[in-house]
Amino acid sequence: MQQLRRNRRLRTNEAIRSLVRENTITPHDFLVPLFVVEGKGVQEEIASMPGYYRYSLDLLKNEVKELWSMGLKSVLLFVKVPDTLKDNKGTEALNPDGLMQRAVKTVKEVTPDMLVMTDVALDPYSSYGHDGIVKNGYIVNDETCEVLAEMSLSHAQAGADFVAPSDMMDGRILSIREILEEENYVNTGIMSYSAKYASAFYGPFRDALDSAPGFGDKKTYQMDFANREEAIKETLMDIEEGADIVMVKPGLCYLDLVREVRDNVDVPVAVYQVSGEYAMLKAAAEKGWLDHDAVMLEQIMAFKRAGAHIIASYFAKDVVKLLG
Ligand SMILES: NCC(=O)CCC(=O)O
Ligand SMILES: [Mg+2]
C-alpha cells in the first residue's frame, strides 16, 4: 500500500509546527515564589539557588513592579524569620505586624492588582523547623490546624487574596475554610498543597529560609514518594474541605500525578517546580553540560502538557524574558 499518512508533514517548518502546537506557555501560567527578609536595601542571593534572591521590603517593591510589568500577576510569599522570633507554636506567625503581614501590604501598596498568595505553615517560625507543633518528638495534628487557621485569618486580614497551606496536616483545609467563613473572608481563596511529597528536592529552599527540620524528617506528614493512589485521595479530601486550587509538589518527578489529579478534579491544578529542580539545571548549565534556556522551556512545557493550570516556578522571570 502506498503511504498516505505522513506525520512529518506537520513538522516541516516552524510555521506549521506552531500552527498545530497543542500547548503554549504565557506569563499567565506562572505563580512567582518570593522570599522576604527583614532589613533595608537587602537583596541576598541564595547560595544554592543562583540568580534567586531574598528581598527586604523596600526592594521587594521594585521586584513586584518589575514582575507586574512583565505580565507576571501572581506571587507566592515566603518569609525568613529571625531565630530569636522562633518557638514551638509559631507565635510570631500570628503577629499582625509580622514580616508576612507587612509583605502582603507592601505588595498591595505598589501593585494593587497583583494576586497575593501567602505560605501558611509553621516551619519558618518553628524552633524545630517543623510544619507543626512538636510534642514528645511528634508533630501534633489538630492543635497545629488551629494555629494554621489563625495564621490564615491573619494573612487574610493583611490583604492576602489566597492562603496556601503547605504543611500536610489532616483537616487543615476545613479548619481554615471555617475560620475564613466565620470572619467574613468569604472571598479569600485556599490553594492547598494537597499532594505534597516528602522530598529531598526541597534542600535549597530550606537554605533560603533557614527552615531545615531540627530533628528527624517530614515523613510523618508529607507523602511517601512511592505512592500514587494516595495523591488522589488527599486531593479529593482537600476539595471536599474547601480547597479552591489543588497542588502537586514537587514537579518534574511527579508529572504522572499532575496528569492524574487533573483528570480527577474539577478545580484548577497547580504544580510546584521546587528549589532542587531549579538548582539542578542551574548547576548543569554552569558546568556547560546543559543548554539552560532550552531545557528550562522543555521542562515548563512538560508541566503544561501534563495538565497543570498554574506553575509555581523560580524560572518564571527567565521564561517570560525568553519568550520576549
Ligand atoms: N512550602 C514551600 C516549599 O517547601 C518549597 C520547596 C522548594 O521550593 O524546594
Ligand atoms: Mg491532606
Side-chain angles (χ1 to χ4, degrees), residues 33 35 49 76 78 119-121 123 131 164-167 193 196 201-206 209 211 218 222 249-250 272-277 314:
F35 299 121
M49 299 178 71
L76 176 58
F78 296 94
D119 183 58
V120 171
D123 50 329
D131 294 21
S166 61
D167 56 288
Y193 288 63
K196 178 174 181 175
F201 283 101
Y202 307 147
F205 176 92
R206 291 174 187 168
L209 293 191
S211 61
K218 300 193 173 186
Q222 297 178 349
K249 178 182 174 186
Y272 201 134
Q273 184 182 35
V274 302
S275 58
E277 303 179 53
Y314 305 104

Side-chain angles (χ1 to χ4, degrees), residues 130-151:
H130 272 288
D131 294 21
I133 298 168
V134 178
K135 279 193 177 162
N136 302 320
Y138 186 72
I139 291 74
V140 296
N141 196 87
D142 299 8
E143 254 180 83
T144 298
C145 288
E146 285 171 33
V147 179
L148 296 171
E150 296 285 342
M151 188 175 172

Side-chain angles (χ1 to χ4, degrees), residues 85-104:
L85 294 178
K86 296 183 184 182
D87 63 21
N88 186 22
K89 296 201 157 169
T91 310
E92 174 62 15
L94 308 183
N95 178 357
D97 200 33
L99 184 54
M100 177 63 90
Q101 289 79 355
R102 280 178 283 134
V104 172

Side-chain angles (χ1 to χ4, degrees), residues 30-42:
F30 291 102
L31 176 58
V32 183
L34 289 173
F35 299 121
V36 185
V37 283
E38 294 285 4
K40 255 198 153 90
V42 182

Side-chain angles (χ1 to χ4, degrees), residues 11 19 32 45-46 58 70 101 113 115 124 129 134 160 168 171 186 204 207 231 246 263 271:
R11 297 179 204 137
L19 191 67
V32 183
E45 190 171 30
I46 298 150
D58 52 338
M70 295 171 74
Q101 289 79 355
D113 296 324
L115 185 89
V134 178
M168 290 298 281
V186 296
D207 294 342
V246 293
D263 287 344
V271 63

